[in-house]
Amino acid sequence: MASPSTASAPGPAKNTAGSGSIMAVAAMCCVQLGLAASVGLMDKMSAEGVGWLRLAWAAVIMVAIARPWRVKFSRSTLSMCALLGVATAGMTMGFMLAVRTIPLGTASALEFLGPLSIAVIQGRGVARWWALAAAAGVLALTEPWQGATDMAGVLFALGAAACWAGYVLLTQKAGDAVQGVSALAISLPVAAVAATFFVGPGVVGQLDWQLVLIGLALALLLPVIPFSLELLALRRLTTAAFGTLMCLEPAIATLVGLLALGQVPRPAALAGIVLVIAAGIGATRTGRRRPSVLMPPSESTTADPLLVPASPKQG
C-alpha cells in the first residue's frame, strides 16, 4: 500500500499491444484533425499563439476533469509531471517556430527523429528493424531534400524532436505513477505557464471571444484527447513500439490532406505510407509491454499470465 505522501499507483491493466496500438492511432488521428482545424486560426493568430491557446485551454480542461488536488503526489512524481509539462511546451512551441521557416514536411521528418531515436535505442532485435523501416517511410513521405532548409528552422525542429523524445519517456513514467490522467492535470498547466513565458503578453492582444471559443474546441482535439490516449497507450506498449507507431502520423496526415484538403500524394509518399504501415503492424505484433514495477503477490497473481514483473531495463 502506498504511503500517504505518494501518488496513487494505477492497478494492473490488461497489457496488450493491440489495445495500446489502437489508442496510439486514435491519438494521432485527433492530432491531425486538430492541426487541420488550426489552419484557418493561424490566419488570425501567430503560429506560436495558436499553440499557446491550445495549451492554455487544455490546462483548464484537464484540471477541471482530473481535479489533481484530490490526488496525493509524491515530490518525485510532481517533479516528473513538471518536467513532462516543460517537454510538452517545448515540443509544441518548437514545432510551431520550425514551420515558420521550413516546409511542414521537413519539420515533421526532423521532429520524428525524437521517437524514432527511442525506438532504435531501446528496441531489441526485430524492433530495431521496424524502426529503420519507419524512418525510411518518413523520409519518403516528407521528401525533405526537395526544398531549401533554413538552419534556424532545422534547429527548432530538432529541439522539438528532443522534447518529443522526453515527452514519450516521461509520459510512460507518469502514467505508471499516477492513476487515470491525473499526471496531465499537472503537466499541462506547467506547459501552459511555460508557453506563456515564451510567447509573452503580446499574444493576449490577438484574442477575441471567437478565437477563445475556437481555441477551446481545438484544445480538445489537440492536446486533451490525444495526450490522454497516449498516456494510456504507454501503459500497454514499450517506448520502442510507441515510437515506431508514431511514424504512422505522416501517413494519417497524408490521408487527412487528401480527404479534407484535396492534396494528392506523390508516388514517393505512397511508398512511404506502405513502409510506415508495415512498421506499425510490426510494432503492434512485438510491442506488448510488461509492468516495470514489482507488484505485491496478491496483485501479481492475476488471471492474465502476461502481467508478470519485468526487468528494470524493460522499455
Side-chain angles (χ1 to χ4, degrees):
M1 181 178 296
S3 65
S5 61
T6 60
S8 301
K14 186 176 181 181
N15 275 359
T16 61
S19 61
S21 299
I22 290 172
M23 291 176 183
V25 172
M28 288 183 280
C29 290
C30 286
V31 167
Q32 292 307 318
L33 289 173
L35 289 174
S38 297
V39 171
L41 192 59
M42 289 182 185
D43 293 335
K44 301 178 181 179
M45 287 188 73
S46 62
E48 59 269 30
V50 174
W52 166 81
L53 183 59
R54 290 200 313 253
L55 288 175
W57 265 122
V60 173
I61 294 169
M62 195 54 63
V63 168
I65 292 174
R67 293 177 288 181
W69 56 86
R70 301 181 63 181
V71 179
K72 295 179 180 178
F73 292 90
S74 68
R75 182 176 299 180
S76 61
T77 301
L78 278 175
S79 298
M80 180 169 53
C81 292
L83 287 174
L84 175 58
V86 173
T88 300
M91 177 176 65
T92 302
M93 308 310 291
F95 188 78
M96 291 295 185
L97 288 171
V99 296
R100 295 194 311 178
T101 56
I102 62 176
L104 180 62
T106 302
S108 298
L110 290 170
E111 191 187 31
F112 273 109
L113 292 177
L116 277 174
S117 296
I118 295 175
V120 171
I121 293 170
Q122 294 195 347
R124 298 169 185 160
V126 176
R128 294 195 175 192
W129 290 107
W130 288 124
L132 293 176
V138 168
L139 289 175
L141 272 167
T142 57
E143 296 182 277
W145 54 84
Q146 288 291 337
T149 56
D150 175 79
M151 282 308 300
V154 169
L155 291 176
F156 280 129
L158 291 176
C163 290
W164 195 359
Y167 165 83
V168 170
L169 295 171
L170 290 166
T171 295
Q172 186 176 75
K173 291 182 180 297
D176 288 344
V178 187
Q179 278 188 337
V181 294
S182 297
L184 294 178
I186 302 297
S187 66
L188 284 175
V190 171
V193 170
T196 301
F197 279 109
F198 182 83
V199 300
V203 70
V204 178
Q206 302 176 20
L207 295 175
D208 56 37
W209 284 109
Q210 182 181 14
L211 288 176
V212 169
L213 292 176
I214 293 174
L216 171 59
L218 286 178
L220 290 172
L221 278 176
L222 180 64
V224 172
I225 294 175
F227 281 17
S228 299
L229 288 172
E230 287 172 1
L231 185 145
L232 296 174
L234 278 163
R235 289 179 180 155
R236 294 161 170 80
L237 295 170
T238 64
T239 49
F242 182 82
T244 305
L245 272 172
M246 286 295 100
C247 293
L248 287 169
E249 198 153 347
I252 295 172
T254 301
L255 182 60
V256 170
L258 176 64
L259 296 178
L261 305 175
Q263 299 174 345
V264 180
R266 294 184 293 272
L270 292 176
I273 291 173
V274 173
L275 282 170
V276 294
I277 289 177
I281 293 172
T284 300
R285 291 175 61 87
T286 61
R288 182 175 58 244
R289 181 180 177 231
R290 298 179 186 273
S292 58
V293 179
L294 294 175
M295 291 181 294
S298 61
E299 295 183 355
S300 60
T301 55
T302 64
D304 189 348
L306 297 176
L307 293 176
V308 297
S311 160
K313 294 185 179 179
Q314 180 72 28

